[in-house]
Amino acid sequence: MLETATAFGIEEALEKLGLGEINEGTSTGSDNFGSGEIISSYSPVDGALIGKVKTTTKEDYEKVMTTATKAFKEWRSIPAPQRGEIVRQFGEKLRELKEPLGKLVSYEMGKSYQEGLGEVQEMIDICDFAVGLSRQLHGLTMHSERPGHRMYEQYHPLGVVGIISAFNFPVAVWSWNTALAWVCGDVCVWKPSEKTPLCGVACQNIIAEILKKNNLPEGISSLINGDYKVGEFMTQDKRIPLVSATGSIRMGKIVAQAVAARLGKSLLELGGNNAIIVTPDADIKMTVIGAVFGAVGTAGQRCTSTRRLIIHESMYDQVKDAIVDAYQQLRIGNPLDQNNHVGPLIDTDAVKMYQNALVAAENQGGRILVEGGVLSGDGYESGCYVKPAIVEAENAFEIVQEETFAPILYLLKYSGEVENAIAQQNGVVQGLSSAIMTNNLREAERFLSASGSDCGIANVNIGTSGAEIGGAFGGEKETGGGRESGSDAWKVYMRRQTNTINYTTELPLAQGIKFDL
């Protein structure tokens, strides 16, 4: 490893997470994680090799599924509040390991250390939520039309839940799924991104310790590693009734078709092309904070990142000048250094997409307000650091219609009433997160109405980026339509059953049908 890892305590963090043996670039060597080819994990922070893991072969996968399906038979019979107790213990362990796991997230993925800690806090929060939920898996009681009959519905565990997660939230999204699935009585098989495999191994180490301590089957939580080919094991497997997949729209369409072909269920969290509408009644200071963090946080690599700023013509220049000025103050560099605002992109492929997007924006008629570019020299050896850019554009530009996972913000203009801005915001295929900055109650309510934002998330006077676990998270249109985390998202991890009990000596039929023998 390079000096960065030593200076910021990465090696110590790896030791605490049970990864001490791989910090010299050796394999995990664990059959639990695979026996196939090697994945090398390089940090985008400094280009150093953090470690290597083995991928999962088809034979490995079959062993995992055998273990998982066997574990499900035991786990589903344990009362839900007792399952919640296991999740509580997991949350407590995460509290103990918040700092080292947050550092690993920051170092392997490239997001700021504060965001790494925030991601682990999301894991802790969803555990707390799930513990309470374990005593609230409610069904309904209905009145029967037949005398002496009682009707109700209840929810039962689905079985093995497959989880495919993306690099940008290498631990939190997994926990959103597993914490809920576990209290619902499901077991989970997880394929983390091949770009952040060590975060997956670390999380598996943590939950494996909890399961062993409580004499529970290890198959309650399983890990598989590899690229899309390993993911296909799950999408095509009839033993997995639900596949939860987070990633690009392209990937989601492939997963959806494969799972639907076997009549399974898929929970999809795909791309976003999120906008903030700025009306004449907006608070400029709040707008700048929300827009800048939304656009450059995680180097623009969030599905909720702010891609478009739709500004009323009457205040366009004022907002533009404030945003451009704020960008001049951004500090780009090592994300473990808390003085920096922006870290690296995940890899050099992401850098190429960023560069291509800026070229396309100019070719399609965009005007560069804040120039981008790739940083080089001392501290930027990995080649993954880029400058956040701002482009004046039109919503109809092809590049604006796409999601570029990088810190590029498009400034768009609208005139007239707020409905015109809403039309622009909705005029993309994605429908994840949206926001409006206004102190006008009528504008806010129009934005939140049925004819307003068509996104799964619609905010007033906060940005598009970030979400609390208490609310259901997800989007509409080509974002996939899935919901994770809070509210009643737990229901997707269970099967619904309607029950009718006849406690009489007669057998009347529904709808008054007569059938006498």
Side-chain angles (χ1 to χ4, degrees):
M1 286 192 185
L2 299 182
E3 294 179 2
T4 301
T6 303
F8 290 93
I10 299 301
E11 292 175 325
E12 182 181 355
L14 291 173
E15 289 283 351
K16 290 181 178 179
L17 296 169
L19 301 176
E21 295 181 359
I22 64 175
N23 65 4
E24 296 300 328
T26 59
S27 168
T28 62
S30 172
D31 290 338
N32 190 39
F33 304 137
S35 60
E37 298 177 352
I38 296 294
I39 296 177
S40 297
S41 178
Y42 291 92
S43 171
V45 175
D46 56 10
L49 175 64
I50 313 173
K52 301 178 181 181
V53 299
K54 293 181 179 179
T55 56
T56 301
T57 65
K58 184 62 175 176
E59 292 73 22
D60 296 328
Y61 175 76
E62 287 303 321
K63 292 178 183 178
V64 167
M65 284 303 299
T66 298
T67 304
T69 52
K70 181 180 179 181
F72 172 61
K73 294 177 182 178
E74 179 178 342
W75 185 240
R76 68 182 175 185
S77 299
I78 296 174
Q82 292 183 28
R83 299 194 295 255
E85 166 59 18
I86 301 304
V87 175
R88 186 196 67 79
Q89 293 179 32
F90 180 54
E92 288 301 305
K93 195 65 179 177
L94 288 172
R95 284 179 168 88
E96 293 178 27
L97 297 171
K98 180 177 178 179
E99 181 178 325
L101 185 55
K103 283 186 177 179
L104 175 59
V105 168
S106 178
Y107 191 58
E108 188 174 35
M109 185 269 151
K111 64 175 57 177
S112 74
Y113 179 44
Q114 281 299 311
E115 290 184 74
L117 292 175
E119 185 166 346
V120 181
Q121 187 61 50
E122 279 194 67
M123 301 176 75
I124 295 167
D125 292 344
I126 196 64
C127 286
D128 289 349
F129 181 89
V131 172
L133 179 66
S134 68
R135 294 179 182 270
Q136 300 181 71
L137 302 174
H138 303 308
L140 293 173
T141 298
M142 290 79 72
H143 289 280
S144 173
E145 67 185 54
R146 289 168 283 184
H149 287 60
R150 181 167 68 90
M151 292 180 63
Y152 68 94
E153 66 180 19
Q154 59 182 333
Y155 290 84
H156 294 303
L158 275 178
V160 180
V161 172
I163 302 167
I164 300 172
S165 64
F167 73 86
N168 59 331
F169 280 86
V171 296
V173 171
W174 167 72
S175 69
W176 290 358
N177 284 274
T178 50
L180 298 191
W182 286 335
V183 297
C184 289
D186 301 319
V187 300
C188 298
V189 176
W190 176 29
K191 192 201 87 63
S193 170
E194 62 271 28
K195 296 183 179 183
T196 52
L198 300 183
C199 285
V201 176
C203 289
Q204 180 65 14
N205 285 346
I206 296 170
I207 186 59
E209 179 184 332
I210 300 297
L211 295 175
K212 184 177 181 179
K213 176 183 174 182
N214 288 272
N215 297 314
L216 289 168
E218 62 177 354
I220 292 170
S221 179
S222 301
L223 185 77
I224 57 177
N225 276 307
D227 58 15
Y228 72 93
K229 296 176 183 177
V230 174
E232 287 176 349
F233 296 160
M234 288 194 294
T235 60
Q236 298 173 0
D237 193 338
K238 293 183 178 180
R239 295 168 294 183
I240 298 181
L242 172 67
V243 175
S244 175
T246 302
S248 68
I249 291 173
R250 180 193 61 79
M251 180 276 286
K253 289 181 177 180
I254 295 171
V255 169
Q257 292 177 38
V259 176
R262 58 178 176 82
L263 297 182
K265 297 197 298 182
S266 57
L267 192 169
L268 301 175
E269 298 289 356
L270 311 177
N273 194 347
N274 316 295
I276 298 177
I277 294 172
V278 186
T279 81
D281 287 310
D283 182 308
I284 301 297
K285 182 178 179 181
M286 291 175 61
T287 297
V288 171
I289 294 172
V292 174
F293 176 74
V296 308
T298 324
Q301 296 172 114
R302 293 187 177 206
C303 52
T304 56
S305 290
T306 304
R307 310 287 176 199
R308 299 173 293 147
L309 202 58
I310 305 172
I311 311 166
H312 192 271
E313 61 181 0
S314 66
M315 60 192 312
Y316 181 84
D317 288 337
Q318 183 182 2
V319 174
K320 177 183 70 174
D321 291 344
I323 294 287
V324 169
D325 181 64
Y327 267 53
Q328 308 311 313
Q329 302 172 48
L330 293 175
R331 293 184 295 273
I332 308 166
N334 186 333
L336 293 162
D337 181 346
Q338 297 187 60
N339 292 313
N340 293 323
H341 298 106
V342 184
L345 293 176
I346 185 64
D347 55 25
T348 53
D349 287 338
V351 171
K352 291 175 184 176
M353 286 192 290
Y354 157 86
Q355 293 174 304
N356 291 339
L358 286 176
V359 171
E362 280 200 279
N363 290 342
Q364 292 167 27
R367 176 171 171 259
I368 304 294
L369 294 178
V370 176
E371 289 190 5
V374 182
L375 296 171
S376 59
D378 188 28
Y380 304 124
E381 291 87 356
S382 69
C384 297
Y385 291 88
V386 302
K387 299 177 184 177
I390 300 177
V391 183
E392 284 188 307
E394 299 290 337
N395 204 55
F397 289 178
E398 183 179 346
I399 191 62
V400 177
Q401 292 286 310
E402 299 173 1
E403 178 190 41
T404 301
F405 235 45
I408 301 175
L409 178 64
Y410 299 108
L411 300 193
L412 314 175
K413 188 184 295 186
Y414 82 96
S415 59
E417 298 298 315
V418 71
E419 284 82 1
N420 297 329
I422 294 172
Q424 283 198 61
Q425 183 224 274
N426 294 346
V428 294
V429 298
Q430 308 88 349
L432 179 53
S433 187
S434 59
I436 188 170
M437 293 293 184
T438 182
N439 288 318
N440 185 310
L441 179 62
R442 290 191 176 96
E443 289 180 333
E445 290 296 337
R446 287 177 196 169
F447 178 74
L448 299 175
S449 71
S451 57
S453 170
D454 63 3
C455 296
I457 299 169
N459 299 325
V460 176
N461 289 331
I462 61 173
T464 63
S465 187
E468 298 180 30
I469 59 91
F473 180 90
E476 300 301 321
K477 301 190 292 187
E478 291 194 7
T479 298
R483 292 297 185 275
E484 295 173 331
S485 194
S487 185
D488 65 349
W490 61 271
K491 291 181 179 179
V492 75
Y493 303 97
M494 305 195 82
R495 58 183 177 89
R496 186 191 305 233
Q497 186 181 78
T498 300
N499 307 111
T500 306
I501 299 172
N502 178 4
Y503 56 90
T504 74
T505 59
E506 304 294 328
L507 189 59
L509 302 178
Q511 292 82 49
I513 294 173
K514 300 296 182 182
F515 188 78
D516 297 325
L517 293 176

